[in-house]
Amino acid sequence: MSMIKIKDLIYNYIKHDEEGNVAEENRALDDVDLKINEGEFVAILGRNGSGKSTLAKHMNGLLLPSEGAIWISGMDTADEDKLWKIRQTAGMVFQNPDNQIIGSVVEEDVGFGPENLGVPTEEIWQRVEKSLEEVGMIAYRKSSPNRLSGGQKQRVAIAGVMAMKPRCIILDEPTAMLDPNGRSEVIRTVRELNQLEGITVVLITHYMEEAAHADRVVVMKHGCKMLEGSPREVFAQVEVIKDSGLDVPQVTELAYRLRKRGLDIPEGILSTQELTDALKAAYTGCTSR
Ligand code: ATP
Ligand code: MG
């Protein structure tokens, strides 16, 4: 069974005037189909306003489709009785940690989710400790979240979701407020959760390098799915991606330029190592390092 299944999803933001009539309708998602398998790591890319956050908010029932449907682990998000279970299955991390942190002490904040789920006290503390260790925030367990930097707060927010042991985590630009170190730490954590614990990850990001680690990349444009495939397949389409106002990873761009100048290197290079190997092979006709 798919972890997430989206069928013909349309979503319109509707503004009403004072009389309650529809004053404005803005189609944010336009007939999206998408399946995400259990254990998969999917990155979603797209320019500002392409519908990424609207899509993410459908993935734990924060928004309901105007048309079409979405199922989380087989549960239709339009089924109100399932909403609690859906939110337990699919945890959400947003861009701005200030809106997500409610506790006045870090460890209490992280424990809030499992407590709400009725997890026994002793296990709550174990989960809090493990989650804080995973995001590198254990040293701050007794701190007030107000005193943390944006990046640290975001790691606490991620720990809060992890402590609920969801089967799927949806992260909407979770690294947007972090410095490069914080970013790689968070991405490493998310990848470990995916690889070691088998958690399904949906990562919305503006950083192409983060998407390069995913099993699959989905590119959104004007509320539609524009491209979908492995990072290599998607980033091989350098011109299509650049025409739609996005970038490809720096090393992919460099490889693309060299290839355009006539060097015999493959499309869709994703790492410096791959580029180095390809260059060596191109110059010596030998692939060994
Ligand atoms: P960003 O990269 O800036 O986060 P996004 O890809 O997440 O953008 P969305 O926030 O999903 O895009 O927005 C999709 C479309 O819906 C945009 O045209 C946006 O202006 C519109 N929109 C988003 N939220 C609302 C809202 N609350 N009311 C009306 N229109 C909205
Ligand atoms: Mg967004």
Side-chain angles (χ1 to χ4, degrees):
M1 192 199 299
S2 308
M3 188 68 234
I4 298 175
K5 185 176 160 201
I6 299 173
K7 181 114 184 60
D8 306 329
L9 176 56
I10 292 177
Y11 187 77
N12 302 315
Y13 285 103
I14 295 172
K15 264 197 199 131
H16 295 273
D17 61 18
E18 280 151 19
E19 279 100 54
N21 301 316
V22 174
E24 208 184 302
E25 204 172 289
N26 182 3
R27 179 155 297 191
L29 292 175
D30 196 358
D31 211 6
V32 176
D33 279 290
L34 182 65
K35 269 187 194 165
I36 296 177
N37 297 320
E38 179 119 39
E40 222 185 342
F41 183 156
V42 175
I44 299 183
L45 302 172
R47 289 190 71 174
N48 294 115
S50 58
K52 305 179 299 296
S53 295
T54 306
L55 188 62
K57 286 176 187 159
H58 278 81
M59 293 180 180
N60 78 343
L62 277 176
L63 289 177
L64 295 177
S66 304
E67 288 175 43
I70 169 164
W71 295 265
I72 307 301
S73 192
M75 297 175 283
D76 188 337
T77 62
D79 183 351
E80 256 182 58
D81 296 340
K82 297 269 163 51
L83 210 52
W84 179 248
K85 187 86 179 105
I86 285 170
R87 299 221 167 122
Q88 205 178 318
T89 308
M92 190 98 164
V93 177
F94 296 98
Q95 182 171 3
N96 187 350
D98 284 330
N99 304 336
Q100 304 176 70
I101 292 185
I102 36 179
S104 55
V105 179
V106 165
E107 60 182 5
E108 280 171 13
D109 185 84
V110 176
F112 189 75
E115 190 180 357
N116 247 359
L117 297 177
V119 173
T121 314
E122 192 161 321
E123 193 186 332
I124 294 178
W125 291 117
Q126 284 167 8
R127 288 193 191 189
V128 166
E129 193 162 324
K130 182 165 182 265
S131 307
L132 284 172
E133 263 166 11
E134 279 171 340
V135 300
M137 287 298 290
I138 194 76
Y140 297 85
R141 64 186 302 166
K142 304 280 182 205
S143 304
S144 157
N146 295 331
R147 304 173 74 105
L148 302 177
S149 70
Q152 289 173 325
K153 282 184 198 169
Q154 188 62 306
R155 279 144 70 194
V156 171
I158 292 173
V161 171
M162 286 172 185
M164 289 189 277
K165 295 208 171 169
R167 282 164 57 209
C168 173
I169 298 187
I170 300 132
L171 306 106
D172 190 353
E173 299 194 41
T175 60
M177 302 176 84
L178 311 194
D179 61 19
N181 282 340
R183 281 213 304 269
S184 58
E185 197 171 321
V186 166
I187 293 302
R188 199 176 339 118
T189 310
V190 171
R191 285 176 71 192
E192 276 174 17
L193 280 174
N194 173 253
Q195 285 169 0
L196 304 180
E197 319 251 344
I199 294 206
T200 310
V201 172
V202 180
L203 174 70
I204 294 171
T205 182
H206 271 126
Y207 294 103
M208 302 299 138
E209 277 74 13
E210 294 178 1
H213 297 301
D215 297 321
R216 192 146 54 103
V217 176
V218 173
V219 183
M220 298 289 297
K221 187 178 184 181
H222 302 317
C224 300
K225 204 170 68 177
M226 184 184 86
L227 284 175
E228 182 181 6
S230 67
R232 200 176 301 287
E233 287 164 350
V234 167
F235 291 132
Q237 308 202 40
V238 177
E239 273 163 32
V240 178
I241 290 185
K242 296 197 88 153
D243 282 351
S244 71
L246 291 168
D247 283 322
V248 296
Q250 274 179 355
V251 66
T252 311
E253 164 114 35
L254 176 58
Y256 167 77
R257 288 193 188 180
L258 292 170
R259 192 179 142 82
K260 244 185 138 180
R261 290 204 172 184
L263 257 79
D264 182 19
I265 47 178
E267 286 184 329
I269 293 269
L270 292 175
S271 70
T272 352
Q273 185 64 57
E274 279 176 19
L275 181 57
T276 322
D277 288 350
L279 285 172
K280 273 188 199 158
Y283 277 105
T284 64
C286 156
T287 48
S288 63
R289 282 181 219 157

